[in-house]
């Protein structure tokens, strides 16, 4: 598996992000969907990676800088048909490594609160993410769960 910085131009990426957005809108009310479309993922302060096995896209993930010490995990997705191959774990490992290299003290994320999001929450917990309150521009929402990871070796924020 190869993880690479991605410019969001390939059709496979467009298809996966479309699958992601459709899924989020199917599972959550519109006002509770915080997934980013391609144009928002191209904004300054957001870096996007994809994981490949040859020509097969296995997944993607992004890192948004909230401030100099705090990053946010965005757009974590593996194609429905290619799950359970370790791509999500590999991408999350990569995002955490980049966050540490950038000097972030904390890495946070928002995900859904419904049963369909339990596998994602378990993945994040396995990396040490803990439940927390809203961060950044988020507000309390019964459809959202917020999680954060303090990065080792740095003082708590």
């Amino acid at each position: 598996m190869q993880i690479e910085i991605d410019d969001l131009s390939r059709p496979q990426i467009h298809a996966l992000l479309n699958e992601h957005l459709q899924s989020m809108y199917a599972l959550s009310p519109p006002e509770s969907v915080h997934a980013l479309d391609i144009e928002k993922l191209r904004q300054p302060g957001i870096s996007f990676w994809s994981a490949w096995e040859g020509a097969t896209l296995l997944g993607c993930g992004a890192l948004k800088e909230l401030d100099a010490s705090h990053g946010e995990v965005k757009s974590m997705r593996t194609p429905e048909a290619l799950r359970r191959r370790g791509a999500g774990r590999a991408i999350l490992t990569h995002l955490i490594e980049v966050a540490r290299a950038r000097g972030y003290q904390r890495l946070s994320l928002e995900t859904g609160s419904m049963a369909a999001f339990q596998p994602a929450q378990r993945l994040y917990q396995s990396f040490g993410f803990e439940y927390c309150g809203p961060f950044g521009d988020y507000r309390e929402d019964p459809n959202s769960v917020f999680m954060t990871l303090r990065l080792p070796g740095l003082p708590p924020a």
Side-chain angles (χ1 to χ4, degrees), residues 14-28 33 35 77:
H14 291 219
L16 182 57
L17 290 173
N18 186 48
E19 176 186 307
H20 182 55
L21 286 170
Q22 286 182 359
S23 176
M24 296 304 99
Y25 281 101
L27 293 168
S28 302
V33 174
R77 186 70 180 194

Side-chain angles (χ1 to χ4, degrees), residues 2 8 11 14 42 46 66 73-74 82 89 93 97 99 127 148:
Q2 179 178 339
L8 298 147
H14 291 219
R42 287 187 172 133
I46 299 178
L66 299 175
V73 174
K74 297 294 293 179
L82 298 174
R89 184 166 291 282
T93 297
E97 289 170 358
F127 278 81
T148 197

Side-chain angles (χ1 to χ4, degrees), residues 3-10 12-18 20 36-38 40-52 57 59-65 72-77 91 94-95 98 102:
I3 298 176
E4 58 190 53
I5 193 80
D6 199 292
D7 67 3
L8 298 147
S9 65
R10 292 177 272 195
Q12 299 99 314
I13 296 292
H14 291 219
L16 182 57
L17 290 173
N18 186 48
H20 182 55
L36 302 177
D37 64 22
I38 289 173
K40 288 181 181 166
L41 285 167
R42 287 187 172 133
Q43 292 178 352
I46 299 178
S47 304
F48 185 86
W49 289 269
S50 55
W52 300 83
L57 175 61
C60 64
L63 188 56
K64 177 180 179 181
E65 183 166 301
E72 179 182 3
V73 174
K74 297 294 293 179
S75 301
M76 284 284 296
R77 186 70 180 194
I91 291 167
H94 183 78
L95 296 179
V98 171
R102 290 181 179 179

Side-chain angles (χ1 to χ4, degrees), residues 100-157:
R100 282 190 180 118
R102 290 181 179 179
Y104 294 162
Q105 295 178 13
R106 190 164 62 127
L107 190 57
S108 300
L109 61 92
E110 179 276 338
T111 190
S113 62
M114 299 72 142
F117 294 95
Q118 289 298 312
Q121 290 178 35
R122 284 192 300 272
L123 172 66
Y124 299 131
Q125 284 180 304
S126 75
F127 278 81
F129 280 83
E130 297 177 345
Y131 294 98
C132 65
F135 60 91
D137 294 332
Y138 292 105
R139 301 290 171 252
E140 285 291 343
D141 180 345
N143 299 298
S144 289
V145 166
F146 305 98
M147 302 179 83
T148 197
L149 174 68
R150 300 240 181 244
L151 297 174
L154 298 172

